[in-house]
Amino acid sequence: MPHRAYVIDEMISAKSIAARIEALASEIKTAFTGTEKLIVVGLLRGSFVFIADLVRELDMNVEVDFLEASSYGEAMESSREVRILKDLRGEIGGKDVLVVEDIVDTGFTLKHVVGLLMSRNPRRLETIALLDKPSRREVDIKASWTGFEIPDAFVVGYGIDFAQRNRNLPYIGKVRFTDDEPG
Ligand code: IMP
């Protein structure tokens, strides 16, 4: 699969992403008014660019932590079984937490992570996803904030990969296969 030929068609420009993040950060600051410290939890690896840009727009006291859940691997389809590969370094009990996800697709990953973190009794837990593909949802979950709703397409860039490639694109693009292989 990774050897199939494809091109990337731009879907969301770097400029649009930056503008949207500025607006989202302002909503988050308002929602967390009075919060002493916000623990911002990035889901590895896809959220690393998003979290970097988002925290720099949040002029409040933030702490950054990371969690890694199993993802597609080399495939383009969700495994529906979520495993925690790397847990948080810090405790979140009694704290205000914002979970940062790149894409909510079937919803299995976010649902699992929220369930896990809620069991640790944070004071408050909210979620933000840069992208949402609502037409693909299989479990009932919606992020507190969403950057962009997109159609059912396989996307890359801005931290998001296809078999570990294209994470470094500054924009979000749609993968379009140019070979004749079925699938
Ligand atoms: P879910 O558990 O099906 O919601 O999948 C969420 C995860 O699948 C995301 O955090 C991404 O890592 C990955 N994913 C979903 N859609 C795409 C895509 O279009 N391109 C690359 N990765 C994706």
Side-chain angles (χ1 to χ4, degrees):
M1 174 107 66
H3 304 295
R4 291 187 62 186
Y6 63 92
V7 293
I8 299 165
D9 300 323
E10 183 172 304
M11 184 188 255
I12 308 168
S13 70
K15 222 173 143 178
S16 314
I17 298 170
R20 185 71 186 117
I21 289 177
E22 215 182 297
L24 289 165
S26 144
E27 287 180 30
I28 291 166
K29 270 185 292 181
T30 306
F32 284 99
T33 303
T35 291
E36 219 174 277
K37 180 174 71 181
L38 181 63
I39 316 281
V40 183
V41 172
L43 300 195
L44 293 172
R45 287 175 251 180
S47 73
F48 82 103
V49 177
F50 181 34
I51 195 174
D53 281 346
L54 183 66
V55 294
R56 282 180 292 176
E57 292 293 334
L58 289 174
D59 54 351
M60 59 192 290
N61 189 17
V62 304
E63 216 172 79
V64 175
D65 206 339
F66 293 98
L67 187 101
E68 185 172 11
S70 56
S71 71
Y72 290 15
E74 299 276 302
M76 287 175 92
E77 277 296 325
S78 168
S79 62
R80 289 172 183 77
E81 196 187 274
V82 183
R83 284 174 304 124
I84 300 301
L85 304 177
K86 182 209 168 292
D87 206 340
L88 298 177
R89 288 292 295 272
E91 302 289 333
I92 57 162
K95 299 186 179 159
D96 290 331
V97 178
L98 177 69
V99 175
V100 181
E101 169 70 307
D102 55 353
I103 310 182
V104 185
D105 186 42
T106 62
F108 279 98
T109 307
L110 191 59
K111 183 135 192 161
H112 182 88
V113 168
V114 166
L116 173 75
L117 298 186
M118 283 307 285
S119 74
R120 297 177 187 176
N121 302 311
R123 192 168 82 102
R124 177 172 176 192
L125 185 138
E126 304 290 348
T127 54
I128 181 169
L130 179 66
L131 305 175
D132 188 359
K133 299 188 210 172
S135 65
R136 298 257 313 159
R137 197 72 85 258
E138 292 180 24
V139 291
D140 183 27
I141 185 111
K142 184 153 177 52
S144 320
W145 291 279
T146 296
F148 303 89
E149 283 197 358
I150 60 167
D152 180 8
F154 196 83
V155 294
V156 291
Y158 198 73
I160 300 163
D161 73 305
F162 175 28
Q164 300 310 324
R165 290 192 285 184
N166 312 121
R167 288 194 199 272
N168 53 331
L169 282 179
Y171 56 88
I172 300 284
K174 177 178 167 2
V175 168
R176 179 163 52 88
F177 292 104
T178 52
D179 56 24
D180 294 321
E181 260 182 59

